[in-house]
Amino acid sequence: MVMLKLKCNFAYQNMSDSIKHECGIALIRLKKPLDHYRNKYGTRLYGLNKLYLLMEKQHNRGQDGAGIATVKLNAEPGHPYIYRHRSVDSNGISLIFEQVKKDLEDERYFNEGGIEPLLLTTAYPFIAELMLGHLRYATHSKNGTSFCHPFIRQSNWMNKNLVMAGNFNMTNNDELFERLIELGQHPRNRTDTVTVLEKIGHYLDVEVDTIYEDLKNQGILKVDMPDIISKRIKVEEILRNAARDFDGGYAMAGMIGHGDAFVLRDPNGIRPAFWYEDDEVVVVTSERPPIKTAFNIDYDLIQEIPPGNALIIKADNSTYLSEILPPRELKQCSFERIYFSRGTDRYIYRERKN
């Protein structure tokens, strides 16, 4: 087992800097209409409650900051559909979810009342089908909300909005920065978070623009294009184009404005990522135990995203694995698995024992 000391940080880093700590991610995609969860579980906050559990069960991965973002599916024009809240408080997870619930009306009425489905996608922030949470373990002197994931790349085109959070460090960040300049961009800073976000965002733009031009040549009305573009976007191709220059350990989670989502893992399997799916939900975390606890399932139902692969969740609920980069020699980070991960994972326990 190779010891690769990697950290999830957001400041410019020299190649000689020590790389120390890890972060945690949690992604949830609800596959049923929101009222399904109220009728079955007694609350429309089912998704947010599960996200809270997944993040609390990974609190060991980030005590210096936390953040969540949600994407509402099928939002009408003129209404927000991406929401984000971040905190650098030591009790950030609890504070975030307390604030989110304050933005709702009386929770009892909210869960029991006959709220029109349209109101859920307009009047109630953070009530959404797609959710992403991040826990930050700071490794440098700077600390502030602006350093916390998730990060958002905004656009007036729903298909071009990108929300990302991850557990990663790019060892060739200088090279990635220069590539962005070669693409004609003007990066606002040199952090690996920005280089990754802008690189994937660039190829998302290219994908959308290519489909747009094709539809225009076919005589499709512009007002009809967004829905068609959403269905045609090939997330795996975007990631292949963007990740071919990536060098480092990473588990990157992303959400696109129209509802597609992905989690990409590095080809050496340095950073961990696990997922579970049933007829109600798709969930991804940095560790197995949070999924097992939150959903009361057997370990054998939780799968590991293979190195070099991306788990892709389309807006239509289809879920599949796609090889983005050829897998390489397995070099799981010892710090991640032996020190940082929860010992309640039987596989981690065996490694520690060995």
Side-chain angles (χ1 to χ4, degrees), residues 10 12 173 177 180 186-195:
F10 318 110
Y12 173 67
N173 194 52
F177 181 83
L180 291 178
H186 189 94
R188 62 185 181 273
N189 61 50
R190 305 181 68 104
T191 68
D192 53 4
T193 303
V194 167
T195 56

Side-chain angles (χ1 to χ4, degrees), residues 120-275:
L120 289 175
T121 62
T122 56
Y124 295 95
F126 291 98
I127 300 302
E129 298 89 343
L130 188 56
M131 293 157 277
L132 177 60
H134 182 265
L135 299 121
R136 180 181 181 231
Y137 208 135
T139 54
H140 58 89
S141 57
K142 293 183 179 180
N143 197 22
T145 304
S146 62
F147 293 96
C148 289
H149 293 200
F151 284 82
I152 302 176
R153 189 177 192 266
Q154 294 181 313
S155 171
N156 204 38
W157 283 72
M158 179 180 280
N159 315 97
K160 291 185 177 182
N161 280 282
L162 178 63
V163 183
M164 285 197 65
N167 172 16
F168 63 85
N169 174 267
M170 310 312 292
T171 59
N172 66 331
N173 194 52
D174 287 348
E175 177 187 343
L176 294 177
F177 181 83
E178 294 301 325
R179 291 290 174 87
L180 291 178
I181 295 175
E182 292 170 6
L183 290 171
Q185 293 193 20
H186 189 94
R188 62 185 181 273
N189 61 50
R190 305 181 68 104
T191 68
D192 53 4
T193 303
V194 167
T195 56
V196 166
L197 180 71
E198 294 299 336
K199 191 85 183 303
I200 295 176
H202 168 78
Y203 286 104
L204 173 61
D205 288 349
V206 170
E207 176 83 355
V208 171
D209 291 343
T210 300
I211 300 171
Y212 173 88
E213 290 299 324
D214 181 53
L215 295 176
K216 186 171 72 172
N217 293 335
Q218 295 178 42
I220 304 296
L221 293 176
K222 293 179 181 178
V223 70
D224 296 328
M225 288 185 181
D227 287 341
I228 301 173
I229 291 172
S230 298
K231 293 180 175 67
R232 289 195 184 182
I233 285 177
K234 295 182 179 179
V235 178
E236 58 268 38
E237 289 304 316
I238 295 170
L239 296 177
R240 287 188 186 109
N241 287 325
R244 59 191 173 194
D245 299 322
F246 289 175
D247 187 11
Y250 49 84
M252 303 172 182
M255 306 185 296
I256 304 175
H258 65 271
D260 285 358
F262 63 87
V263 178
L264 172 64
R265 194 175 179 209
D266 68 83
N268 291 108
I270 297 170
R271 301 296 193 178
F274 302 91
W275 68 288

